[in-house]
Amino acid sequence: MRAQSSAIQGSEIAVTTPGADGPDGHRSGTLQAALGVTAFSLTFPATAWGLEGFGPWSLVAVRSALAAVVAGGCLLALRVPVPARRHRAGLAVVAAGVVLGFPLLTTLALRTSTTAHAAVVVGLLPLTTALFSALRTGARPSRLFWGAALAGAAAVIAFTVQQSGGALTSADAYLFGALLICAAGYTEGGRLARVMPGWQVIGWALVLCLPLSLPGALVALSYEPARLSAHSVTGLLWVAVGSQFLGLVVWYRGMAAIGIPKASQLQLAQPLLTLVWSVLLLGERLTPAAPLTAAAVLVCIALTQRARG
């Protein structure tokens, strides 16, 4: 028990001093943030699979409840103490933005939108997260950072809009609402990950939502009966465990290590990864513009990672 407590305390010390490990710590943080982006890139295709057998409300409620059970089991097994009162407001923001708001709004959008069009949200998310971070934490990235971030966002937006034929849909209101609420959740989660392990941030946020998600799942399933299939079950399991819990664990750890603005810019690659998965898993078609956009985004990511914040 004492050894376990020491390990937990040690992990908290590690995240309260981001960058203390020098280049190795920065590389580790970058890798963890990149793993989070990879997990998130599968969210839209997995949601499309889940919608084959679940209604939008039941899919979101069940995924949140399942993720909360997994997270709560980990917190209980490790006997992690309840967060201090001063952290609970921040956890509520994470819960509202990342656990409930973003999944619900994007799932509603994906009923009528393609994954390519929905990727517009992810293309704008890094820049919006950096803006929220500057307002919330006082971060002041350099002009080079902002220039590269804006260029990368513009490249991603141009590509994803071109992929959707350049037409706006009724799903855009859901998508832009998801963009704003998720950026707030990412920013607050990244801030909290500096004072507690990242997996505990998302774990407690999920548990905080359980009194809503569990009865919500039961009610939603009574109105939207599930039609189980290999695709729908696989999609549900991925968005619940892969995207909602494991992906956010490494994402918040990465943000704590390298900073919210720089970690957020790694997410510029997410729309392109999502489009690749959409081709492989959903049979969607890509245009020849994809490799050119990928090269432009990689250059912008490199510049944002080198820029001083």
Side-chain angles (χ1 to χ4, degrees), residues 2-3 18 123 185 194 225-226 243 250 276 288 295 302:
R2 181 176 298 175
R194 291 175 175 267
S243 301
V250 292
V276 171

Side-chain angles (χ1 to χ4, degrees), residues 44 110 113-120 160-161 163-164 274-275 278 284:
F44 286 170
L110 284 171
S113 173
T114 65
T115 55
H117 189 81
V120 173
T160 49
V161 168
Q163 283 286 295
S164 65
T274 296
L275 292 171
S278 297
E284 295 186 8

